[in-house]
Amino acid sequence: MEFYQRSLDAFIEAYGRFDITIDHGKGVYLYDINDKKYLDFYSGIGVNALGHDHPEYTEALCKQIHRVLHVSNYFNTVEAIKAAELVNKATGLSKTFFTNSGTEAVEGALKLARKYYYLKTNRDDSQIISLRHSFHGRSTGAVTLTGNPSYHKGFGPLISGVVYGDINDLKSVTTLVNERTSAIIVEPVQGEGGIHVCTPEFLQGLRAICDENDICLIFDEVQCGMGRTGTMMTYQRYGVYPDIVTLAKGLGAGVPIGAFVANDKVAQAMKPGDHGSTYGGNPFATSACISVVDIFEKERILENVNARSKYLFEKLEGLKAKYPCIKELRGLGLMVGIELTSEAKPVMKGLLEQGVIVVTAGLNTIRLLPPLVITDENIDEFIAVFDKVLSQV
Ligand SMILES: Cc1ncc(COP(=O)(O)O)c(C=O)c1O
C-alpha cells in the first residue's frame, strides 16, 4: 500500500496500476517486494521474449555498459550496424531506422510513406488507410492511426487524412483507395484490439492493391513480430511482404528499442535531415538487439514457440470444452486471445491473486503473451490456475 500511495502521489495518473510492486524477475517468474511469486504470462505486454535475467543476454548488456552507452547518430558504432544488418535479414527488407519505442517506429513509418508520396506527386496531402480496432501507439500521429475512438477523445485535432477499413474485409479497404492514398497500415495480428488474425487472402489482397496503385504497405509488427507468432515476422508465414515494417517490444526484449524497416524502393525517399532521434539505435539498445537475435538462433526460439503454442492451444481447447464462458480461442504462436462471454478483467484479477499475470485485450478477451522461452510445465501451471479461477467466476 505504501508504494501504491507513493505512486499515486508521484506520477501523472495516466495508468490504472495494480497495488503490486515488482522487485525482480528470474526466468518466467516475477517477484514482488513481499517475495510473492508470479508466473509471467504477459512479458510486460509482449516484451520480455527471453524471460527475466537470461544469463547470456544479461552478460551482453553488462559488457556493453562498460564499453559505451551512447554516442548519437553522428557517428557509427559496430553495434548499430550489426543490429541493422540482422534486422534487415530477419525482416527480408533492406534498410533500418532505429527508434526507442513502437510508437516512434509507427510515426517514422508514417513519415516515410508520406515522403515517398510527396516525391511522387509533389503534394503534401496524402491519405492513410488504417483499420478499425487497430492499435498503433499514443503519439498524435500513431493515435490517429489507431482505429478506436476511445483513444482519440480529448486529444483533437488529430492528424488529417486518416480513414479506416475493417480487418479481413478487402472491399472495405478498396473503396477507400484514391489517388491521395499513400499507405495502408495493418497489424497482421491485431493485439490490443482483441487478438484478431488477418487472413492470408486479406494480406495478399492488400499487397495487390498497393502494387497496382504504388501505395506503401505498412505492417505494424510491434507486438506480433520478432518470433511471437512462430516466424520471425508474422508476414513470413504468408509470404506477403510489406514495403515497411515496424518493430519494437521483442526486438530488445526489455531494453527500449524499436525500428522501422523498409525495402529499397521506399527507403530511398528519406534523405539526411528528414528524420532523427537522439537515442535511436544507441550502442546499448542495439547490443540488446544483437544478443536477442543470437539467442533466438542458439536456443531455437522459433521452434519452441511453435511447439509450445500447439500444446497451449490443446490445453485451452480442453478448458473451452469444460467452461461455456470461454467463447472463442484466437491467435498464432504465443500471441493468444481467449474471448469470454463476459468481461475479462475479473478473470485477469482472479489470476493475479493466484500468482499468474496475464493482460486483457478489448473488453472480453484475456490475452496471453508469455516469454517465448516457456516450457510445457509452465503451461501446465498456467492451465491449472486458469481452471481454478474459471471454476470460481
Ligand atoms: C501493434 C502496436 N503498435 C504500436 C504500439 C506502440 O508501442 P509502444 O508502446 O512501444 O510505443 C503497440 C503497443 O502495444 C502495438 O501493440
Side-chain angles (χ1 to χ4, degrees):
M1 194 65 197
E2 180 208 337
F3 285 101
Y4 183 64
Q5 190 52 52
R6 277 171 63 182
S7 84
L8 288 181
D9 293 343
F11 296 131
I12 289 178
E13 219 178 322
Y15 299 104
R17 289 188 170 87
F18 296 110
D19 184 10
I20 293 172
T21 304
I22 299 297
D23 182 72
H24 67 282
K26 188 81 200 161
V28 298
Y29 294 95
L30 285 169
Y31 298 82
D32 73 12
I33 50 170
N34 304 313
D35 221 24
K36 180 170 171 180
K37 185 178 175 183
Y38 297 88
L39 177 66
D40 180 0
F41 258 48
Y42 96 130
S43 313
I45 325 183
V47 169
N48 307 93
L50 306 174
H52 304 278
D53 194 22
H54 183 290
E56 195 179 324
Y57 172 76
T58 302
E59 196 190 328
L61 297 184
C62 291
K63 271 196 185 150
Q64 189 60 41
I65 288 172
H66 290 293
R67 283 173 67 84
V68 62
L69 280 178
H70 178 79
V71 296
S72 95
N73 284 295
Y74 282 119
F75 300 95
N76 279 317
T77 62
V78 177
E79 289 77 18
I81 294 169
K82 216 170 143 186
E85 289 168 352
L86 289 170
V87 170
N88 294 338
K89 190 165 166 231
T91 56
L93 300 178
S94 316
K95 296 205 187 272
T96 289
F97 184 106
F98 284 117
T99 66
N100 310 291
S101 68
T103 297
E104 286 170 76
V106 168
E107 208 60 48
L110 173 67
K111 280 180 72 178
L112 179 57
R114 283 179 154 187
K115 186 74 196 298
Y116 180 81
Y117 170 88
Y118 176 81
L119 291 180
K120 234 176 20 179
T121 61
N122 208 24
R123 292 203 315 265
D124 254 334
D125 64 351
S126 87
Q127 283 190 351
I128 312 260
I129 302 174
S130 183
L131 298 183
R132 277 181 269 275
H133 307 296
S134 59
F135 184 84
H136 297 291
R138 302 288 199 143
S139 61
T140 304
V143 91
T144 309
L145 296 175
T146 294
N148 183 339
S150 69
Y151 291 97
H152 298 166
K153 205 158 188 272
F155 299 108
L158 302 175
I159 67 164
S160 59
V162 179
V163 290
Y164 309 93
D166 291 304
I167 187 171
N168 295 334
D169 179 353
L170 205 54
K171 198 153 166 262
S172 77
V173 177
T174 321
T175 52
L176 297 172
V177 173
N178 61 39
E179 75 291 346
R180 285 175 56 198
T181 309
S182 63
I184 300 176
I185 183 165
V186 170
E187 296 158 87
V189 183
Q190 286 186 339
E192 304 292 315
I195 312 292
H196 295 282
V197 183
C198 288
T199 62
E201 297 74 29
F202 182 62
L203 295 181
Q204 282 155 6
L206 294 179
R207 183 67 270 174
I209 297 172
C210 290
D211 287 342
E212 278 159 31
N213 298 281
D214 197 16
I215 292 168
C216 292
L217 181 59
I218 305 172
F219 286 162
D220 182 349
E221 295 232 8
V222 164
Q223 192 163 147
C224 67
M226 289 306 290
R228 171 69 45 199
T229 62
T231 44
M232 273 314 261
M233 302 296 131
T234 303
Y235 57 78
Q236 285 158 343
R237 168 189 288 269
Y238 304 125
V240 180
Y241 278 68
D243 298 292
I244 309 173
V245 64
T246 55
L247 298 171
K249 296 196 187 267
L251 186 63
V255 171
I257 179 170
F260 59 99
V261 192
N263 60 22
D264 275 323
K265 183 182 91 167
V266 174
Q268 51 77 33
M270 259 197 191
K271 303 290 179 231
D274 275 351
H275 197 52
S277 165
T278 299
Y279 287 124
N282 88 9
F284 181 64
T286 45
S287 72
C289 171
I290 295 167
S291 177
V292 168
V293 177
D294 263 9
I295 294 169
F296 263 56
E297 272 181 26
K298 270 190 210 147
E299 298 190 6
R300 299 169 176 270
I301 297 290
L302 295 180
E303 280 172 40
N304 194 57
V305 172
N306 289 309
R308 301 295 81 76
S309 171
K310 191 163 174 282
Y311 186 69
L312 176 58
F313 271 101
E314 270 167 29
K315 292 283 168 183
L316 287 172
E317 286 293 349
L319 288 186
K320 184 169 178 281
K322 188 170 168 189
Y323 295 105
C325 67
I326 299 184
K327 192 173 159 196
E328 193 177 41
L329 302 173
R330 293 189 293 269
L332 284 176
L334 292 175
M335 184 170 185
V336 177
I338 305 162
E339 186 173 336
L340 306 176
T341 51
S342 58
E343 282 194 22
K345 275 231 166 84
V347 175
M348 187 252 278
K349 285 187 180 157
L351 284 164
L352 199 53
E353 274 162 28
Q354 300 291 324
V356 172
I357 309 180
V358 299
V359 66
T360 59
L363 200 61
N364 293 344
T365 302
I366 294 280
R367 180 171 31 154
L368 308 182
L369 299 167
L372 307 184
V373 293
I374 54 162
T375 62
D376 285 348
E377 289 69 39
N378 301 140
I379 293 172
D380 288 338
E381 186 183 344
F382 166 74
I383 292 289
V385 178
F386 195 31
D387 192 345
K388 187 173 161 195
V389 170
L390 287 175
S391 71
Q392 289 164 357
V393 291

